[in-house]
Amino acid sequence: MRPADSRAVVRLLPVFVVVAEVGQVTTAAAVLGMPQPTVSRALARLGELLGTPVVERDGRGIALTAAGRALLPFAQEGVGALERGVDVVTGSSVVGHGTVGLSFQTLLGEAVVPALIRRFRDRFPGVRFELAQGSRQKALDDFAAGRCSVALVASPPSLPGASTTVLYDEPLVVAVHRSHPAAGAGSVSVERLAADGGDELIVLKTGFGLRGRVEEIYADAGVPLRVAFEAEDVHTARGLVGAGLGVAILPDFAPEGDVVPVRLDHPQAQRTIGAMVRNPAHDPTIAAFEEFVGRSGRPVALAALSRPS
């Protein structure tokens, strides 16, 4: 390969890395701040330079070819080295031994929080994290009281002295037992769930962000909320559904045991997950985490969830 071609390959690697991590060209274009056709042309050009395609279509998203899978770890290493070099030049390498206080909603601890921490510590392995978890209200209270510098919550508010970054939009579905009449339907409305006496609802306790969104959906539909049980986490809620004790409106999930998801036909049947970061003016570690979330938070979160869009 000619030197000029090698340099062209290097210039295209950041685009390739982001596309590989999120698995979808449209989302990658949004993350990179580039038009979608530009991203597609970059991938095609990279394949031409290498003499073999690095991605191929896979349903609504894309998948890496054998060549792309072979290239990815080297591309990630190269892009990471460049980012570390920028950190040294800009002085942000002083974050090496700081601490990030992070409070988050419990469900985010399954995949999103570990993925964000792992990726950040790839660059700054000496940084420590102090973790707290619970309801949305607890995370917001921790943030307001200064017990944490970062909060990961649903529907993050805009607050003075803090930045907010949207990580992803999460669809809400109705969890029903396999024997439920709606189990085989493509979607179900709130009105249908409430028809003829309706299904009793399994909800999270007051203070959890999901409880507030469910109340908003039912109020918008003009349907009374008939609560059967109040749980403190989605796993318990799904377990109660599996026992045939009601239905629940929960974040999208894969069918599990006797519990299956059905699309909820309502315009508010989703929630936004975001990161709030306190003004980092006097803390270079928090400043580095804020920059990291703004640049890489969305692709890292989507990759952790294996969600293409």
Side-chain angles (χ1 to χ4, degrees):
M1 180 179 291
R2 296 178 303 167
D5 289 343
S6 296
R7 288 192 292 271
V9 167
V10 170
R11 288 194 296 270
L12 296 170
L13 290 183
V15 175
F16 168 67
V17 168
V18 172
V19 172
E21 289 178 342
V22 303
Q24 215 265 356
V25 172
T26 302
T27 302
V31 171
L32 291 163
M34 300 169 61
Q36 181 176 337
T38 301
V39 175
S40 297
R41 286 195 295 270
L43 294 173
R45 178 58 178 159
L46 181 59
E48 292 173 2
L49 291 168
L50 295 174
T52 181
V54 293
V55 298
E56 59 188 1
R57 289 193 175 277
D58 181 23
R60 292 189 305 165
I62 60 98
L64 299 183
T65 62
R69 292 192 297 272
L71 175 64
L72 182 59
F74 298 99
Q76 290 174 322
E77 181 180 352
V79 172
L82 178 59
E83 291 176 343
R84 290 191 293 273
V86 172
D87 292 334
V88 170
V89 173
T90 61
S92 62
S93 58
V94 298
V95 306
H97 300 284
T99 299
V100 176
L102 174 59
S103 188
F104 57 93
Q105 291 180 224
T106 299
L107 185 60
L108 302 178
E110 292 187 15
V112 174
V113 170
L116 291 171
I117 292 175
R118 183 185 67 245
R119 180 59 61 84
F120 186 71
R121 290 188 68 179
D122 283 345
R123 292 177 58 191
F124 305 111
V127 171
R128 293 178 54 81
F129 281 79
E130 294 179 351
L131 304 180
Q133 66 187 72
S135 68
R136 176 179 183 272
Q137 190 58 54
K138 179 186 183 304
L140 292 176
D141 289 345
D142 286 346
F143 192 81
R147 292 190 291 270
C148 67
S149 298
V150 181
L152 299 183
V153 296
S155 303
S158 296
L159 298 177
S163 66
T164 300
T165 300
V166 172
L167 299 178
Y168 58 95
D169 291 321
E170 183 173 59
L172 301 180
V173 299
V174 183
V176 302
H177 192 276
R178 288 187 183 277
S179 63
H180 192 280
S187 65
V188 64
S189 66
V190 176
E191 293 82 359
R192 184 69 190 88
L193 289 174
D196 302 324
D199 293 284
E200 289 194 309
L201 203 63
I202 298 160
V203 297
L204 298 191
K205 291 184 176 180
T206 299
F208 287 83
L210 189 59
R211 170 66 174 267
R213 177 47 57 93
V214 170
E215 290 176 346
E216 291 170 0
I217 290 173
Y218 270 69
D220 182 74
V223 174
L225 192 68
R226 300 178 60 246
V227 175
F229 297 95
E230 293 184 318
E232 293 190 355
D233 61 75
V234 297
H235 303 292
T236 299
R238 282 205 296 263
L240 292 168
V241 172
L245 297 173
V247 302
I249 296 177
L250 301 173
D252 196 11
F253 63 95
E256 181 178 292
D258 288 328
V259 184
V260 297
V262 180
R263 185 175 69 84
L264 178 60
D265 185 11
H266 190 279
Q268 297 181 37
Q270 67 172 16
R271 62 178 186 170
T272 297
I273 304 298
M276 301 166 57
V277 183
R278 189 177 307 285
N279 188 327
H282 304 295
D283 190 329
T285 299
I286 304 304
F289 192 81
E290 180 183 44
E291 184 273 337
F292 158 74
V293 168
R295 181 184 62 199
S296 303
R298 181 175 177 83
V300 171
L302 289 173
L305 295 167
S306 300
R307 182 172 296 154
S309 61

